[in-house]
Structure formats: C-alpha cells, structure tokens
C-alpha cells in the first residue's frame, strides 16, 4: 500500500509538536513540479525560497500547509483550511512554516525523479 502520510516532530513554544504531512494531490503536485522547473539546473527544493515571487511562495506555502495537520489532545487538526489559519499558533512562526513547507515539498516529490533520472513507464500496459 502506498504511503501518503508521514509524521514529523517539530519544536514549537518550548515543546515538540507532531505534525502529519499528507502528500499533495495530483493537481497540486503538478503545480509544484511547474514551480520546480524555475530552479537553475541542479537546484534543490531549498532554492525555491529565492527563485519564487512573493505571490508564488505564498501560494506554495498555503497549498502545503493545507495538507498538514497538528496533533492536539482531541486528535489531528488542520494547520490551514481554505487559505485561512486553522491553527493560529503557527501564524507568526515563519521558520516553522517554511520548514513544514519544505518537508511537504520533499515528501511529495520523494521517489518522483527516481535514482539517476527518469523512470517513466508506458502509459498503457504492454505498450
């Protein structure tokens, strides 16, 4: 079975908080790939910070944070919903939000490029 979630522990306000990342859906993933094409040859996900406009970076962060939940005593709770903060404790934590965004980018693209380049398969079985 394909893994689409992973848990990450991040320090927040002096204690470790667990966050659950869910890989981006297909449409958001393709948008992410389009943004990645703006990187210079051999660029890494961290280079997105300097390569994207403010609007593109905000869009990327919002999309990623909408796919992340925080573990609270009552259960998992979304960090963002429809572009608004659901968990306002992160609203003034740019470093943590950027770390969560980068973790989401790497988690979503993990295995996409394969080792050593393209591992594309035929679209139609047997072709």
């Amino acid at each position: 079975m394909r893994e689409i979630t992973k848990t990450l522990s991040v320090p927040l306000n002096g204690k470790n908080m667990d966050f659950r990342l869910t890989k981006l859906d297909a449409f958001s993933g393709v948008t992410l790939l389009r943004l990645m094409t703006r990187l210079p040859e051999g660029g890494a996900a961290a280079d997105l910070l300097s390569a994207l406009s403010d609007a593109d970076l905000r869009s990327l962060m919002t999309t990623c944070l909408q796919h992340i939940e925080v573990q609270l005593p009552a259960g998992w709770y979304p960090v963002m919903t429809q572009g608004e903060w659901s968990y306002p404790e992160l609203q003034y934590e740019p470093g943590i939000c950027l770390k969560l965004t980068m973790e989401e980018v790497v988690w979503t693209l993990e295995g996409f490029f394969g080792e050593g380049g393209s591992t594309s398969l035929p679209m139609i079985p047997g072709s």
Side-chain angles (χ1 to χ4, degrees):
M1 184 169 172
R2 183 183 173 132
E3 293 275 335
I4 63 165
T5 63
K6 87 172 193 176
T7 303
L8 176 71
S9 187
V10 176
L12 177 65
N13 298 327
K15 67 177 190 172
N16 280 340
M17 298 290 293
D18 287 336
F19 292 88
R20 181 167 62 187
L21 287 65
T22 301
K23 286 191 179 193
L24 297 179
D25 59 82
F27 296 113
S28 299
V30 170
T31 300
L32 172 60
L33 287 172
R34 288 180 59 207
L35 290 174
M36 295 294 286
T37 63
R38 297 181 186 179
L39 296 177
E41 185 73 26
D47 294 329
L48 281 173
L49 186 60
S50 61
L52 297 179
S53 68
D54 289 346
D56 285 341
L57 182 60
R58 181 181 186 95
S59 176
L60 174 66
M61 289 182 72
T62 299
T63 298
C64 288
L65 292 171
Q66 289 181 146
H67 285 80
I68 299 174
E69 300 166 305
V70 61
Q71 176 71 61
L72 298 177
W76 292 104
Y77 194 75
V79 169
M80 291 193 94
T81 304
Q82 297 181 358
E84 299 294 327
W85 294 102
S86 302
Y87 185 63
E89 286 79 351
L90 289 182
Q91 185 172 359
Y92 300 104
E93 297 289 345
I96 293 172
C97 289
L98 188 58
K99 177 179 179 43
L100 290 171
T101 298
M102 290 296 115
E103 290 286 345
E104 179 69 26
V105 166
V106 171
W107 172 239
T108 294
L109 296 180
E110 181 180 81
F112 180 81
F113 295 105
E115 293 182 31
S118 173
T119 58
S120 62
L121 299 173
M123 291 293 285
I124 301 169
S127 63

